[in-house]
Amino acid sequence: MTAIDIAGTHTDATAPPSANTAKLADLADVIARFTAVVSRRLPDDVTAELKRLAREETNPMATMIYQTMERNQALAEELKRPSCQDTGLVQIFATVGSHFPYTDGLAETLKSAVAEATRLAPLRHNTVETFDEYNTGTNVGSKSPWIYWQIAEGRDDLTLHVYLAGGGCSLPGQGKTLMPGEGYEAAMKFVLDVMTSYGVNACPPLLVGVGIGSSIDAASYMSKLALMRPVGSHATNPKVAALEDELQAAIDSIGLGPQGLGGTRSTMGVNIENSARHPSVLSVAVNTGCWSHRRGTIHFAPDLSYELLTHQGVEL
Ligand code: SF4
């Protein structure tokens, strides 16, 4: 007898599950429960930064909004419900060791996990097939969840960043390839223009991810990857780290404040990722994470024991 699973793969329902299949099912279960946690509880670095921003805020309205955010987090945990109604589209950055024992079937496992997390969390049904315009109802669809794969040669483990990309915080995402000679100043002006035009839509305070590279696709990828870096981290290149601070100060000076209603700070941070580039090409892209920056990192050892790197003290 042949069945079709949620990913559309034909499986033999009468065959006993192999050891590998059982392990992949365990893996999917853990990732599903982790994704549900990510939907309701912010990562430790974001929580700490929001608390710090709240302490330093002097604007009464902004202070009240930070208090509301804190209450939101307490209620989300107490009620076991997502912290925002827009639970986003799931994106996953997977760094897979070349010797990780469960690479076969991993992509389907991640899809299964997202479908299960949709039921568990519950996640809002946010996956609509482009052009055909129907909601899949599982948060699984064509090339969705979007997965960025990276191979870690010589390693036997698996690290996943699970990111719930909300509509509002995805809205400011833009990129541009500058004319030769425009330089880094034009790249920073581009980012600032996007922030002044669209930053308010993304529920500040924002984590701003910037990618700079040799093509628009590379810059775009790196701008999202930058959002996986912890709040408060800096690029290893001191010139880039200084640029992160300068750009953050500039975006803060816009005065968006929490939820765009005015306040001392507009950002949680600015993270810049870059790659080597063609000498005459400089592409820049920007992506934003909102105050409810639901990003989680989980590490699996080859025996599938796991550690939550962003949510200390949480049990799945
Ligand atoms: S921007 Fe973030 S907090 Fe605002 S509605 Fe979207 S997902 Fe929710």
Side-chain angles (χ1 to χ4, degrees), residues 178-200:
L178 303 170
M179 291 300 284
E182 281 196 281
Y184 299 110
E185 195 174 310
M188 296 307 107
K189 180 179 179 308
F190 170 77
V191 174
L192 272 173
D193 285 348
V194 173
M195 288 302 109
T196 50
S197 314
Y198 295 99
V200 71

Side-chain angles (χ1 to χ4, degrees), residues 191-216:
V191 174
L192 272 173
D193 285 348
V194 173
M195 288 302 109
T196 50
S197 314
Y198 295 99
V200 71
N201 295 106
C203 292
L206 308 172
L207 179 59
V208 181
V210 178
I212 295 180
S214 196
S215 62
I216 197 62

Side-chain angles (χ1 to χ4, degrees), residues 49-50 53 66 168-169 172 194-196 198-209 227 231 248 251-252 254 256-260 265-271 286-293:
E49 182 62 13
L50 288 173
L53 291 175
Y66 281 122
C169 52
V194 173
M195 288 302 109
T196 50
Y198 295 99
V200 71
N201 295 106
C203 292
L206 308 172
L207 179 59
V208 181
L227 296 182
V231 172
Q248 181 171 13
I251 299 170
D252 278 338
I254 299 169
L256 295 174
Q259 291 294 0
R265 296 277 302 276
S266 309
T267 63
M268 293 189 283
V270 173
N271 293 347
V286 60
N287 259 299
T288 48
C290 57
W291 79 268
S292 185
H293 187 51

